[in-house]
Amino acid sequence: MTAISIIENRADEVQLPHWLQECLLNQSEADSDDSLICQAFNFAYQLHEGQTRKSGEPYIAHPIAVASLLRDLGGDSVTIAAGFLHDVVEDTEVTPEKIEEMFGVQVRLLVEGVTKLSKFNFSSTTERQAENFRRMFLAMATDIRVIVVKLADRLHNMRTLDHLKPEKQRRISQETREIFAPLANRLGIGRFKWELEDLCFKYLEPEAYEEIKALIAERRADREARIAQVTETLRSRLEKLKINVIELKGRPKHLYGIYQKMQRQQKEFSQIYDIAAFRIIVETNEECYRALAVVHDAFKPIPGRFKDYIGLPKPNRYQSLHTTVVGSNGRPIEIQIRTVEMHHIAEYGIAAHWKYKETGTSNTNLSSEDNKFAWLRQLLEWQKDLSDAQEYMESVKDNLFEDDVYVFTPDGDVIALAQGATPVDFAYRIHSEIGNHMKGARVNGRWSVLSKPLENGDIVEIITQKNSHPSLDWLNFVVSPTARNRIRQWYKRSHREENIARGKELLEKELGKSGFDSLLKSEPMQMVTQRCNYQSVEDLLAALGYGEVTQNQVVNRLRDVVKEQQPVEEISETEDTTTPFVQDYTERHGSKSPIIGVEGMLYHIAGCCKPLPGESIIGLVTLSSRGISIHRQGCHNVDKVPGERIIPVSWNDGSETGKPLTYPVDIQIEAMDRVGVLKDILARLSDRGINIRNAGVKTSRNKPALISLSLDIRDRQQLEYVFQRIKSMSDILNITRVMNSGDH
Ligand code: MN
């Protein structure tokens, strides 16, 4: 069959648009873009053969119309091809793989994206839901061309809605008003937005629609005379100043816009004056402002109505000057002034980019991967430029760039969750009782691991059982504070004994076994309980068990209490030794002095540098009653001291006593805040018989956890070993030895 016979054969069934006929006729000499478009048309034609629309016309009329809309927007060949093929995966036997094989991966991705978006049923939308849907659309369509194809599909369906039942007309119109028209607006495609809105208006408020339409028609003669008069005034003035006017005309605003204004301002149609708007299109930005001056000179501007969207473009990239002036008969006239390019962007929005790319050789290559990303990059850049572009930030950044995840309930409601949210987060979002009795989850019809993060578009079903209950393990993977709190609350309520035991265990690990039980009954512990606002020590332990307080908080409070009870002058320089339940290290070494050179003298290890065996040390005669302080060679506190106060000392290696001597060392570790990291560190150290005097963890959001350890270390080698041991753990970011300062 020749191209002409194809066209002729089809002519009786469906009218091919002129551009398509041309494309088919020139196919032999066509470039690859044209042949992609023709092949897509031919393939769709064959596949939809025999199918008809509700209107009775051949189904192919719909893909042709969609492809034509996309072509009018300036769509590239991939987009136009996707327009022809957008319904074949859903309505015919063709697989996405086949489309890729025939038309390449990009066409496949667009068709698949549109098919995916078509699967959702929006019947339960509310205002909030609609917002979620719009966001989800943007999030799911990683290539915005998917949305543009979907919008063209919807626009043609709305244009041909007459053939459906009223009930369906209303449902589709409602959905279009809530989801598709706002999407078109966000993408700046003005001509789609206005037409979609007017079509929805026609089906959703048919009486008001007809009324406004009739009223506009009624006043037509009057309005046109007025428009002609204003146009004449402006044109002659603009010409006098040699401003190159490309277009100057007035026309009624779109019906839904007038209706909204009546609703918003609670006015009758007769009170809405400015149903006509004037548009002046000029060549340059500078001419826009000069034209504005002309307008304000010819008519009296209404204060507060001038808006400069050229200097400050709208989030969707719209630019224009807007002003309202008072016409000769006292009625307000709305005027928009813009350049040709601005006008194009106002009409085509994001798709204008297709036409306004640098023309030349690259223009035929719009489908390349490069262009696709350039387009997305452009989006990001607009966003950066417009710091006050609230709406744009919300619609594009938050959604295209994965801050949230949108999933469905089995009923089709959309739930927005934080990135990384799991079925457990979902369950608690629905209701705390659903979370508390959750037994399992089905995601897209399949059983899912509870800890597996959900993805956009997942359909999540929670299976509950009366005697199922939360697991503490869930705390390791839930991301929402609600879920976390509910799980804790549940434990608090139902597991008191377990919690007390767990709290005890945690605290014992921190403070050591010896004297632990009597410590729990001690007065300091009572005070800690009071300060933490619990009734009894048991309550405190239970709270510790389910994580309402941390062991660190308890230990710190305890230390404070003990410190307060100590007479001030007895506070020794190594603060660890002030707590009675931590043994004073000197006691641990018996009477044998670990330092040679200070025999018979009072001495202490300096808290500032805490020297270790194996390190060079010096003794410093202090002026206090505490005798000689032992410092590391090179300790900054010794530098300033006169030489006569320094005495030579060295380490006793402990061989005489047969008992290894140890010395306190403080270290600080920065670790990824993972549950159990401290436990792992402690386990590694106690494996090697290293005594831990004190341990604490400080955590803060989005920062590494800070772990402080006080260890009993034998010598330098052992300390190096400890460092190595801890560093080799994957969660450890940094480890340092802590030196106190200002201590002699
Ligand atoms: Mn369709």
Side-chain angles (χ1 to χ4, degrees):
M1 250 197 285
T2 66
I4 291 172
S5 70
I6 294 175
I7 294 166
E8 279 169 354
N9 272 359
R10 285 164 183 167
D12 56 329
E13 300 165 18
V14 59
Q15 185 65 43
L16 300 191
H18 183 71
W19 70 269
L20 183 56
Q21 292 190 23
E22 198 113 292
C23 189
L24 289 166
L25 285 171
N26 298 331
Q27 224 184 137
S28 51
E29 56 203 89
D31 58 25
S32 61
D33 278 350
D34 276 354
S35 81
L36 183 76
I37 291 169
C38 290
Q39 275 175 42
F41 164 70
N42 281 318
F43 192 55
Y45 186 89
Q46 286 164 27
L47 289 168
H48 290 300
E49 189 128 48
Q51 297 176 350
T52 50
R53 301 199 88 209
K54 284 273 179 337
S55 61
E57 53 176 351
Y59 194 88
I60 191 68
H62 169 62
I64 290 173
V66 172
S68 299
L69 282 169
L70 292 167
R71 187 178 173 277
D72 288 347
L73 281 184
D76 55 11
S77 58
V78 166
T79 312
I80 296 170
F84 280 123
L85 298 168
H86 79 272
D87 276 332
V88 299
V89 172
E90 220 183 337
D91 295 351
T92 75
E93 299 289 298
V94 170
T95 62
E97 289 73 22
K98 179 75 182 168
I99 290 181
E100 178 168 351
E101 192 189 307
M102 293 180 67
F103 303 101
V105 65
Q106 289 206 51
V107 175
R108 172 202 172 143
L109 290 177
L110 293 193
V111 171
E112 262 188 317
V114 175
T115 307
K116 228 194 261 170
L117 296 187
S118 307
K119 286 213 171 107
F120 301 122
N121 166 16
F122 308 94
S123 51
S124 67
T125 57
T126 60
E127 253 319 299
R128 245 194 81 70
Q129 282 290 309
E131 179 55 25
N132 277 344
F133 269 115
R134 291 195 288 269
R135 288 171 174 227
M136 187 200 63
F137 262 55
L138 288 171
M140 285 179 69
T142 39
D143 186 331
I144 293 176
R145 289 179 299 184
V146 169
I147 302 276
V148 180
V149 176
K150 185 68 204 167
L151 287 172
D153 176 40
R154 177 53 59 115
L155 180 55
H156 185 248
N157 285 335
M158 285 299 297
R159 282 180 181 174
T160 52
L161 209 56
D162 266 342
H163 306 283
L164 300 185
K165 285 185 188 134
E167 195 186 307
K168 216 166 178 195
Q169 288 174 346
R170 288 191 62 82
R171 185 180 67 71
I172 293 174
S173 299
Q174 191 68 37
E175 182 181 299
T176 302
R177 181 180 280 175
E178 283 176 352
I179 296 167
F180 294 96
L183 269 176
N185 182 40
R186 269 192 194 172
L187 299 185
I189 310 176
R191 55 168 55 191
F192 275 23
K193 180 206 161 207
W194 299 319
E195 193 178 343
L196 286 171
E197 281 183 350
D198 275 357
L199 286 164
C200 294
F201 183 34
K202 178 176 154 191
Y203 291 103
L204 292 172
E205 288 98 6
E207 282 163 23
Y209 174 84
E210 292 304 334
E211 193 190 328
I212 291 177
K213 205 173 139 188
L215 286 166
I216 286 175
E218 207 173 278
R219 290 158 187 248
R220 190 172 181 159
D222 168 45
R223 186 176 60 246
E224 278 176 357
R226 204 153 39 89
I227 286 174
Q229 191 199 344
V230 173
T231 307
E232 209 26 67
T233 309
L234 288 176
R235 190 178 291 279
S236 68
R237 289 197 178 218
L238 288 164
E239 263 163 22
K240 224 177 268 169
L241 287 172
K242 302 215 162 34
I243 293 171
N244 198 356
V245 178
I246 311 287
E247 187 188 300
L248 168 52
K249 64 178 181 190
R251 56 193 180 111
K253 295 161 100 176
H254 71 293
L255 303 188
Y256 189 59
I258 296 172
Y259 178 66
Q260 277 181 309
K261 197 163 211 168
M262 287 165 64
Q263 299 284 95
R264 221 177 18 242
Q265 303 179 353
Q266 291 292 313
K267 281 182 177 168
E268 294 290 307
F269 181 82
S270 59
Q271 296 171 283
I272 303 282
Y273 295 122
D274 44 357
I275 58 165
F278 285 83
R279 185 174 294 149
I280 304 172
I281 297 178
V282 293
E283 269 181 344
T284 63
N285 284 19
E286 194 237 335
E287 282 176 328
C288 290
Y289 291 98
R290 285 174 60 210
L292 176 74
V294 170
V295 170
H296 282 180
D297 187 43
F299 301 99
K300 198 174 163 215
I302 298 178
R305 293 293 299 270
F306 167 63
K307 292 203 180 84
D308 181 0
Y309 293 118
I310 294 178
L312 203 68
K314 281 192 184 180
N316 62 17
R317 246 186 61 173
Y318 175 89
Q319 288 187 299
S320 258
L321 299 177
H322 287 190
T323 189
T324 307
V325 295
V326 183
S328 47
N329 54 4
R331 289 180 162 192
I333 309 169
E334 270 184 42
I335 296 173
Q336 301 170 341
I337 306 166
R338 52 174 78 145
T339 65
V340 178
E341 180 170 350
M342 289 171 195
H343 181 58
H344 196 83
I345 288 168
E347 295 275 304
Y348 299 101
I350 221 153
H353 197 65
W354 291 331
K355 276 193 174 161
Y356 272 90
K357 291 191 75 67
E358 311 83 301
T359 40
T361 49
S362 70
N363 204 25
T364 53
N365 196 23
L366 280 176
S367 59
S368 74
E369 199 65 3
D370 208 37
N371 274 316
K372 186 179 128 197
F373 289 115
W375 199 26
L376 283 173
R377 258 201 308 281
Q378 183 69 54
L379 270 171
L380 274 173
E381 268 157 27
W382 294 342
Q383 196 171 292
K384 256 185 284 166
D385 292 347
L386 311 168
S387 53
D388 62 334
Q390 201 67 31
E391 188 192 355
Y392 200 78
M393 297 293 261
E394 279 167 17
S395 66
V396 180
K397 188 191 115 229
D398 287 355
N399 307 301
L400 267 186
F401 304 95
E402 51 192 43
D403 272 10
D404 287 332
V405 166
Y406 300 89
V407 300
F408 290 92
T409 67
D411 295 337
D413 284 338
V414 181
I415 305 288
L417 297 164
Q419 191 74 22
T422 64
V424 176
D425 293 286
F426 177 88
Y428 278 102
R429 167 63 71 81
I430 303 297
H431 197 280
S432 61
E433 282 308 294
I434 300 218
N436 285 342
H437 295 288
M438 178 176 190
K439 183 176 169 258
R442 269 201 286 261
V443 175
N444 303 323
R446 290 194 189 157
W447 289 103
S448 168
V449 180
L450 293 188
S451 59
K452 192 173 173 227
L454 296 169
E455 283 172 25
N456 273 322
D458 279 348
I459 300 168
V460 188
E461 187 185 354
I462 301 299
I463 314 300
T464 56
Q465 206 174 52
K466 223 178 177 181
N467 53 4
S468 287
H469 60 76
S471 153
L472 265 194
D473 176 50
W474 293 357
L475 291 175
N476 289 330
F477 58 76
V478 294
V479 299
S480 57
T482 322
R484 192 172 292 277
N485 290 336
R486 294 280 144 75
I487 296 166
R488 285 200 183 124
Q489 271 171 20
W490 189 87
Y491 255 79
K492 187 174 169 179
R493 274 205 319 268
S494 51
H495 279 238
R496 187 170 161 84
E497 291 310 311
E498 261 176 54
N499 285 327
I500 292 172
R502 191 177 143 88
K504 243 182 178 170
E505 197 184 307
L506 286 168
L507 202 57
E508 197 180 67
K509 233 180 237 164
E510 287 288 310
L511 300 178
K513 258 193 171 58
S514 64
F516 182 70
D517 285 335
S518 55
L519 173 72
L520 287 184
K521 289 176 198 127
S522 68
E523 196 193 328
M525 203 62 197
Q526 296 293 344
M527 289 176 71
V528 171
T529 301
Q530 270 175 25
R531 287 187 192 184
C532 292
N533 290 322
Y534 291 100
Q535 297 293 318
S536 66
V537 175
E538 277 202 341
D539 285 351
L540 176 68
L541 291 173
L544 193 56
Y546 59 73
E548 195 170 272
V549 288
T550 66
Q551 48 267 55
N552 207 31
Q553 287 169 323
V554 175
V555 171
N556 284 339
R557 288 250 157 78
L558 188 56
R559 187 177 294 142
D560 290 345
V561 169
V562 170
K563 241 186 214 167
E564 284 162 22
Q565 290 183 336
Q566 297 267 323
V568 178
E569 57 274 20
E570 271 183 37
I571 294 176
S572 71
E573 58 190 343
T574 48
E575 57 174 304
D576 310 354
T577 58
T578 61
T579 43
F581 49 89
V582 177
Q583 290 166 301
D584 185 352
Y585 95 100
T586 51
E587 283 170 21
R588 295 160 59 92
H589 310 305
S591 57
K592 202 75 190 168
S593 166
I595 309 283
I596 297 168
V598 291
E599 291 84 354
M601 292 188 262
L602 194 59
Y603 77 94
H604 62 278
I605 304 289
C608 54
C609 55
K610 291 186 181 164
L612 282 182
E615 289 174 338
S616 309
I617 48 173
I618 49 170
L620 179 64
V621 181
T622 65
L623 307 175
S624 73
S625 60
R626 307 189 57 229
I628 292 156
S629 65
I630 308 296
H631 291 259
R632 262 206 281 180
Q633 189 97 52
C635 170
H636 63 273
N637 282 330
V638 181
D639 290 347
K640 310 160 217 155
V641 173
E644 64 268 22
R645 283 175 50 202
I646 294 181
I647 57 170
V649 290
S650 65
W651 291 104
N652 180 346
D653 62 11
S655 52
E656 288 169 58
T657 58
K659 196 171 152 195
L661 302 173
T662 61
Y663 305 88
V665 173
D666 291 340
I667 61 177
Q668 194 169 59
I669 302 163
E670 277 176 55
M672 305 288 288
D673 184 11
R674 172 175 69 79
V675 180
V677 67
L678 178 61
K679 205 178 97 202
D680 288 356
I681 292 173
L682 299 185
R684 278 177 181 236
L685 297 182
S686 50
D687 278 356
R688 289 299 164 135
I690 293 164
N691 186 52
I692 297 133
R693 295 160 155 260
N694 207 340
V697 189
K698 213 188 276 171
T699 57
S700 41
R701 221 177 133 72
N702 299 327
K703 277 190 185 157
L706 271 188
I707 298 172
S708 311
L709 293 179
S710 291
L711 308 173
D712 285 334
I713 295 293
R714 206 164 50 235
D715 54 23
R716 198 192 172 121
Q717 265 179 326
Q718 193 183 32
L719 184 65
E720 275 165 16
Y721 170 79
V722 166
F723 269 55
Q724 269 175 22
R725 244 345 235 169
I726 295 176
K727 260 186 199 156
S728 71
M729 292 171 60
S730 60
D731 294 318
I732 302 305
L733 302 172
N734 193 19
I735 166 167
T736 47
R737 189 168 161 198
V738 181
M739 303 291 169
N740 303 330
S741 56
D743 184 5
H744 285 241

